[in-house]
Amino acid sequence: MRVLIQLRPSPDLVAAVADPGQTASTADVADGLPGVELDTGFTPVALPRPVPATGGDPLSLNQPLRFSMAAEDASVLVRGTISDDDVATRVSLLPGLRPDVVGVFSDPVIETCRVCGGDGPAGTWRDVERLLDVAKLRAEGLDGSDVALAVVDTGVNLDHLNGKLRRDVRLDAARSWLPPTVPGTPGEFPVDHGTMCAFDALIGAPEATLLDLPLLRSTRPGGSVMDGLLSDAVAAFAHLRTVLDAQPEESRALVVNNSWGSFSPEWDFPVGHPGNYSDNGAHPFNLMVASLDQAGADILFAAGNCGRDCPDGRCAFAERPITGANSHPRALSIGGVDVRGERVGYSSQGPGRLAARKPDVCAYTHFTGSGAYGDEPDAGTSAAAPVAAGLVAAVRTRWPASRLSPAQLRALLRRTAEDRSTVGFDYDYGYGIVDPAGILAALRRRAAAAA
C-alpha cells in the first residue's frame, strides 16, 4: 500500500525542507523506517501546523484556522510503500510508538473526472460564454488580467489553445510546477484533459495567466498517463503556497482548478482509520487545502462523475461519492449542468464526506469547446469546474483576496446562484447554477457600501 508518512525531525531539517532555496532528500529526514520502502524520488514536503484562531480542535476544518510554518511547528511528509498485509509495520509507525512519526496516511490513486456515456454535445463554448455574461464582465474590467489560474491536471498544450482561441494565451512557466518524475516543459504537454480544462477556464477569464501543474502525469507502477498519487498533489499545493506568498498581499489572487478525484476506497485506509483520506480532515492533503485557502487562494474541485443516472464505471464508493478534498469545506465543489440548465446525469450528488452541503454550485459542461478529444464535447464535472474557475478568476481581476476573502467569495457564489430545484440548497444542484449577473450586482453593492 502506498502511504504518506508525517515526520517531525529536528527543527533545522524542517527549516531546510520548508525553504524553497534548499533541497533536503528523503534520506536526510527519514533514514531507516523498518518495513517501509521509501520513495527516494519524492522530494520531502513541509506541512504547516493548523492552529485554531479561537481555541478548539486544531484538526477541525469548520472553524477559523491559521497555519504555522515555523520550524518548531511544521512537520515533514515523505512517501513510501508498505506491504498490504504488514500490520506490524503499520502499528510500529503509529504516533507514540516512534517519537519522530506524527502519522501514517493513505496515498490514494487520483484520476481525472471526465465522463461516461456517449451523448453528443449540448451547445458550444460560445453558449457558455454568453451564459457567463463575459461581455458584461469585460465591461466591468473583470477579464482575469494579472490573475494566476493554476490548472492542476495532465498538462497544458499552449499551441493548441492559441490555435483554438486565435490569440496568444498567457502562461507563466516560471511559476508552473512539474512532478520530479515528469519530463517536459510547461505549456508543451500533449493535448489532453488538462488542455481541455485550461480552454474551459479561459472562457470566463480570457486574460488570466495560466500556471501548468501536470500532476496527473506522474507515474506509478501499473498506472496510466491519466492518474497519479495524492502525494504529488501535496507537493503541488506546497508549490502553490510559495507562489501565493510571493504575491503582494494587497493584490493576492490565485485560482486553483482540480478536475480530478479519488474514485475507489481500494486505495485508502478504512473510514475511521487515522490514515484515511476520504473522510478525514486531518489527512495532510486536506490540511494543505485549508492552508492554501487561509493564505488567500480560491480552490475549486470537480464534484465527480458518480451521479445516480449515469455513473462513471470507475465509481466504487457505494454512497456519498464526493470524497476527500472534493468535499472540502474550504473549497468549491462544482457540479455539472448543460447549457439549458439541466443537471447532467453523471454529476455526483451530495452529501459530501468532509462537508455535507456539497456540491456547492453547478456550472456548464457537455459542450463543443476545446477539441481536446476531437469531436467529443468538453464534458464531465471536469469541464464544469474550470468554467466556474474562470468566473472566479474574472472576479479576482478587481477583487483580490485582501478585498474579498476566499470564504466571502464562496458565500457570494452560493448566495447569488440561480436556484434550480427545491428552495435553497439541495444535493443535486447545490445552491444552484452560477449567476454572473447576480455576482456583479452583489459586488456593486459591496463596493458602494465600502465607499
Side-chain angles (χ1 to χ4, degrees):
M1 182 178 190
R2 285 280 195 172
V3 292
L4 275 166
I5 303 166
Q6 184 181 3
L7 303 168
R8 186 163 284 124
S10 62
D12 59 324
L13 275 174
V14 174
V17 173
D19 185 349
Q22 298 190 52
T23 301
S25 69
T26 295
D28 291 330
V29 298
D31 189 17
L33 290 175
V36 180
E37 183 181 348
L38 290 169
D39 185 346
T40 58
F42 181 76
T43 302
V45 176
L47 181 70
R49 179 188 178 193
V51 181
T54 56
D57 182 0
L59 299 181
S60 173
L61 301 177
N62 294 298
Q63 64 171 324
L65 293 173
R66 62 181 178 85
F67 289 83
S68 173
M69 283 294 287
E72 62 272 17
D73 291 332
S75 53
V76 174
L77 297 172
V78 297
R79 78 178 179 194
T81 305
I82 60 177
S83 173
D84 288 341
D85 57 359
D86 191 353
V87 177
T89 295
R90 297 187 193 184
V91 172
S92 71
L93 291 174
L94 289 176
L97 297 181
R98 285 183 57 100
D100 56 336
V101 176
V102 179
V104 180
F105 301 88
S106 65
D107 185 12
V109 171
I110 52 177
E111 302 175 86
T112 57
C113 296
R114 198 172 164 226
V115 65
C116 63
D119 292 345
T124 74
W125 72 274
R126 291 294 188 185
D127 295 309
V128 177
E129 184 180 54
R130 171 181 54 81
L131 290 163
L132 292 181
D133 281 340
V134 170
K136 191 174 292 186
L137 290 170
R138 274 186 177 275
E140 297 276 344
L142 305 179
D143 59 6
S145 295
D146 299 321
V147 175
L149 204 169
V151 180
V152 184
D153 213 273
T154 63
V156 172
N157 188 289
L158 197 57
D159 286 344
H160 182 85
L161 294 175
N162 291 340
K164 292 293 292 186
L165 294 169
R166 298 182 181 178
R167 60 181 178 82
D168 290 335
V169 171
R170 295 178 177 86
L171 186 145
D172 190 334
R175 291 190 292 172
S176 297
W177 172 89
L178 275 65
T181 59
V182 175
T185 302
E188 297 182 9
F189 289 96
V191 177
D192 210 321
H193 193 268
T195 302
M196 180 194 78
C197 292
F199 180 96
D200 296 341
L202 291 170
I203 297 173
E207 301 302 323
T209 299
L210 299 177
L211 308 187
D212 189 6
L213 289 84
L215 164 70
L216 296 172
R217 289 198 172 272
S218 62
T219 56
R220 63 181 179 86
S224 75
V225 77
M226 297 292 281
D227 64 28
L229 291 166
L230 194 64
S231 48
D232 289 311
V234 173
F237 272 52
H239 167 79
L240 290 173
R241 178 63 188 263
T242 66
V243 168
L244 197 61
D245 288 344
Q247 295 178 352
E249 191 168 350
E250 66 276 6
S251 59
R252 191 166 285 182
L254 171 65
V255 182
V256 186
N257 185 75
N258 304 273
S259 291
W260 50 268
S262 176
F263 283 82
S264 173
E266 174 188 353
W267 304 97
D268 203 351
F269 284 114
V271 175
H273 187 287
N276 169 265
Y277 165 64
S278 66
D279 294 64
N280 180 13
H283 189 282
F285 183 64
N286 292 328
L287 290 178
M288 276 290 193
V289 171
S291 171
L292 196 59
D293 161 82
Q294 188 270 337
D298 299 293
I299 304 166
L300 295 89
F301 275 87
N305 300 332
C306 297
R308 59 176 171 263
D309 304 297
C310 172
D312 187 299
R314 298 169 294 173
C315 298
F317 284 94
E319 57 184 16
R320 297 169 62 208
I322 309 178
T323 68
N326 300 67
S327 65
H328 202 290
R330 305 293 184 88
L332 282 165
S333 178
I334 308 298
V337 295
D338 63 24
V339 297
R340 298 180 293 270
E342 298 298 325
R343 188 186 73 86
V344 290
Y346 48 74
S347 183
S348 294
Q349 288 108 334
R353 287 175 176 258
L354 294 186
R357 290 201 163 200
K358 297 293 175 176
D360 291 273
V361 293
C362 288
Y364 302 103
T365 186
H366 221 91
F367 53 84
T368 300
S370 68
Y373 296 101
D375 294 333
E376 293 184 38
D378 290 4
T381 55
S382 276
V387 166
L391 179 58
V392 170
V395 170
R396 286 298 182 205
T397 314
R398 298 180 63 181
W399 291 84
S402 60
R403 195 177 179 196
L404 186 71
S405 72
Q408 290 171 327
L409 182 50
R410 289 195 298 273
L412 186 150
L413 288 173
R414 296 173 187 137
R415 187 174 66 250
T416 59
E418 178 190 352
D419 201 347
R420 292 292 296 179
S421 185
T422 57
V423 176
F425 177 86
D426 65 80
Y427 291 133
D428 284 342
Y429 292 89
Y431 287 91
I433 304 171
V434 290
D435 181 7
I439 292 168
L440 286 173
L443 291 175
R444 291 190 196 103
R445 290 193 297 270
R446 190 179 183 91

